Amino acid sequence: FALDHDGWAGVPPTVALRLPAKLLPAAGARPTLDGSPARLLAVPEPRFEKLGSYQEFVTNADGSTCRAAADELPGRFAATDVHRLGLLDLRLMNCDRHGGNILVRRDAEGAAHLVPIDHAFVLPLHLADLDFEWLFWPQSRVPFSEETLAYINSLEPETDVALLRRMGFTESCVEVALAAGWAVKCGAARGQRN
């Protein structure tokens, strides 16, 4: 969310969470049918934290539930939305972008807009298993618009990595973000000349 500058790719507002494990259900917790609190089995209290995120719930303009992109025909998505999603994933080296991690939000006119969710596997230590489902969609072969090229040109990878450092990301993750940011910029610049 922090690297989706001006909401360009449409990532919903997201906050990082660090919760003490004692606030989460313990292994062996079983919900009860009468609505009373879960009964916990005798388990030693863990002494660690769980990391995660909380993301704004996204609905269609009419309030109905969004569908996953995996449940729609990808040829119907706007090339601009696919490019925005793809550029975000490339900058973050998202290892888990599949159709279930992309919502299709319908506006008041019924037009589809892609909403990227679930960014748990970004900025990996190793680039062994990248999954970019959008790469196989026909829109990924459409040239970038002038607006998209201007956005790419405005990106400042050094500013992004400074933000990541302030947020506490490891130096390995920061290096991946820097390399990915420059790869996007250089690739787009090279594409403009061809």
Side-chain angles (χ1 to χ4, degrees):
F1 173 69
L3 294 182
D4 184 16
H5 304 299
D6 300 319
W8 199 75
V11 176
T14 307
V15 294
L17 297 176
R18 185 181 300 262
L19 297 174
K22 67 182 180 181
L23 295 179
L24 303 169
R30 300 287 183 257
T32 61
L33 296 177
D34 62 5
S36 61
R39 293 185 187 94
L40 302 179
L41 301 177
V43 217
E45 183 177 313
R47 300 187 192 286
F48 59 89
E49 298 176 318
K50 290 281 189 169
L51 303 176
S53 65
Y54 185 74
Q55 197 163 55
E56 180 179 83
F57 188 77
V58 179
T59 62
N60 292 311
D62 66 3
S64 63
T65 303
C66 296
R67 292 176 54 148
D71 297 330
E72 303 251 347
L73 295 173
R76 296 182 178 174
F77 305 143
T80 301
D81 279 4
V82 174
H83 292 166
R84 290 175 179 214
L85 172 71
L87 288 168
L88 177 72
D89 284 349
L90 288 171
R91 289 175 52 230
L92 298 178
M93 286 288 109
N94 189 344
C95 296
D96 191 32
R97 179 63 72 211
H98 55 78
N101 287 345
I102 307 164
L103 297 179
V104 179
R105 183 183 184 281
R106 302 252 175 225
D107 64 20
E109 289 76 40
H113 301 281
L114 299 177
V115 179
I117 60 169
D118 190 355
H119 298 93
F121 295 108
V122 298
L123 303 175
L125 296 176
H126 308 285
L127 300 177
D129 200 16
L130 298 174
D131 181 10
F132 299 137
E133 182 166 326
W134 48 262
L135 192 59
F136 303 102
W137 296 350
Q139 302 88 329
S140 67
R141 292 183 292 281
V142 172
F144 289 145
S145 67
E146 290 301 319
E147 176 191 18
T148 300
L149 291 170
Y151 175 78
I152 294 169
N153 195 44
S154 75
L155 294 172
E156 297 177 356
E158 288 83 4
T159 303
D160 289 347
V161 299
L163 173 62
L164 292 172
R165 284 186 179 112
R166 285 193 306 274
M167 293 172 68
F169 280 80
T170 66
E171 198 57 29
S172 297
C173 293
V174 168
E175 290 171 4
V176 169
L178 184 62
W182 277 111
V184 165
K185 287 181 74 77
C186 292
R190 181 172 170 78
Q192 288 178 34
R193 289 194 300 267
N194 292 335

